Amino acid sequence: MSANAQWSNGSSVTVRKKESETYKGSISYKIPFGRDNYIQPFKWIRKVPYLGDRLGEARWYYTPTSLDFSMDATETKSYNEPRVGQNITRPYDFGLNRSISGSYKMFDNLNLNYSRKMRNSLIDFRDDKLKAIKELNPGIPLNVAETYSASFSPKLTNWLTPSLSYSANYNWQDNPANSSKSIDQLSNQNRISSSFSLDPAEIMKSFYKPKGATAKRSTRSAGTSSRSRGRSTRVTQPIKTPEKEEKTDNKEIPLLEFLYQTLDRVQPIQVSYSISQSNNNRGRVGEPGLLYRTGLVSDPELDTISAEAGAYPDNITINSDASLRSGIKISKNINTSLSYNQNMSRSQANGMENRNIARDYLTFDNSGKKGIPFPGWTLNVSQLEKIAFLSKVFTKLSLDHGFSGKESIVYQKGELQSSTYKLYFQPLLGLSMQFKNNISSTVRMTMGKTISNRANGGASIVRDQNINASMNYQKKGGLTIPLPFLKNKRLENNINFTMSFDYSSSETRERNDQTSKFVRKNWNKTWKIEPRISYSFTQKVTGGIFYSYSESTTAMTGKRITRNGGFDVNIAIRG
């Protein structure tokens, strides 16, 4: 609980007198709940095979996790008198804000959440504030906002982890000062999301124990037997019998072993899908029911004022998203990842329907229309320095490669308006190198194209290419000053040499319609090289010198050369 009051007054060039008073009081309360308020309703089922272990440990919590209440009231009075004119204003506001929120963890994998925020106007009680308390009257409602959410994440098996969630938002807003008779804003949104992760190797392990696990278990058994023999002088014959039985139980099956080793290279397959809907309803009167507020229906089922709602009172937007991710570990130092994403949206507003499609895509021609939905990929090869002829030069060497393709299509009133296709290798080739002479370097080359098609048959193709390279060398050292009054002080200093090179080129070709040919409209090429030397004389004194040279050539301006150089000295002064 808190209360505060503020007063202020002032003036300016245009305002002769400005005064304001603000009074605010707030109260909040949180109900604590313990985490031991649960029972195990399925405890009796523990002896049932497979399901017993999982359901038997399930906990049902019979109290909420949290429950919070808060309320605050604010009164603001102002007086503004201008230096010119008689337009004196006395703004006044008296409002009440209330909120309630709670969460309920019904089971360990099921969570529910709810919150409601309300804002009311108490201007009618300006002269008699106690009347609002006596009558328990919160005033005129101005805004109501609610949120609902539920999530369910069961742990079914080691190889399957699904998740399901639902969320909804509701907003109601009305200002009595407006001349309209209907609600100013009435909307709701909902979203359903689902995902699961599937591990192929874990599926295999559920019915076949691979050789690796058998070896580890045998090693642990051998260690136990050795310790037992060290403590006893008895004959160890009884210990050998379980080992024989274990070998029999874990007999290697070549076909299954090969299948497991293959599946173990596949990363968990992650799949997700979500769908959401947003509704905006105009010209309504009243407050909708629970189904609309929780996002389960799109029609608030309220009376409509046709003159204010217009010909198209409802705006609806629907979005769906899907994604698929995985990867393959080809070897210990070669990894790949795959990712596919797709988004589809549809909206209805003012009698017009629009549809958009965006997805990962691989195109085979310059129109983009000949292609297939295809995931993007990345490839990483590390530890190349272990190759015999490369180990003489590098202490670390890795290679990167990536691809990304996109398709975006826009429909309006059922007709194709535009389509865009992108195909980029990012990077086409990337190298990270560490030489044996302490020189490190990176090289990265990217290239791709963007195809844009218009409804009238016109199109443009933009091709890009970039090369970025950098090199770094650092030398650490120091010197000792042999003077008695400096006590042989040692000065640490470092020198760092870097050089960067950047190259980029772009070309744009266009056509006006399907019958015409592509014509070169624009192009440019740019390259830049910049060496830099930085030197630290001491920990407090550093400096450097640099020089850069660049050339750029465009179809419009021709060739341009830029030279730049300089030096800097930095001295850190600490008290």
Side-chain angles (χ1 to χ4, degrees), residues 147-170:
T147 61
Y148 303 81
S149 67
S151 62
F152 180 53
S153 304
K155 181 68 175 178
L156 299 180
T157 62
N158 291 333
W159 48 267
L160 179 63
T161 54
S163 177
L164 181 66
S165 65
Y166 177 81
S167 62
N169 298 303
Y170 161 74

Side-chain angles (χ1 to χ4, degrees), residues 404-516:
S404 175
K406 296 291 183 181
E407 177 190 45
S408 301
I409 303 177
V410 178
Y411 293 93
Q412 193 174 66
K413 293 184 178 181
E415 297 182 359
L416 178 64
Q417 296 297 308
S418 65
S419 61
T420 303
Y421 300 89
K422 294 183 178 182
L423 188 149
Y424 279 88
F425 293 95
Q426 296 177 327
L428 177 65
L429 178 65
L431 292 174
S432 179
M433 299 165 283
Q434 182 72 45
F435 295 88
K436 285 198 169 183
N437 54 4
N438 293 328
I439 295 177
S440 61
S441 178
T442 60
V443 178
R444 185 179 178 89
M445 178 180 179
T446 64
M447 64 181 300
K449 64 179 179 179
T450 300
I451 305 170
S452 302
N453 299 312
R454 298 184 293 272
N456 62 355
S460 66
I461 302 176
V462 180
R463 299 181 184 273
D464 299 307
Q465 182 178 355
N466 294 276
I467 300 176
N468 307 101
S470 65
M471 184 180 65
N472 181 76
Y473 174 75
Q474 186 176 27
K475 177 69 175 178
K476 295 183 178 181
L479 57 92
T480 302
I481 302 177
L483 296 176
F485 60 88
L486 291 178
K487 298 181 180 180
N488 294 327
K489 182 176 179 60
R490 180 173 177 80
L491 299 178
E492 299 291 340
N493 53 78
N494 301 320
I495 184 171
N496 190 42
F497 173 78
T498 61
M499 179 177 288
S500 62
F501 173 81
D502 300 307
Y503 170 83
S504 65
S505 66
S506 177
E507 181 189 59
T508 303
R509 293 180 176 270
E510 294 184 358
R511 71 179 183 187
N512 296 325
D513 51 52
Q514 291 182 344
T515 60
S516 59

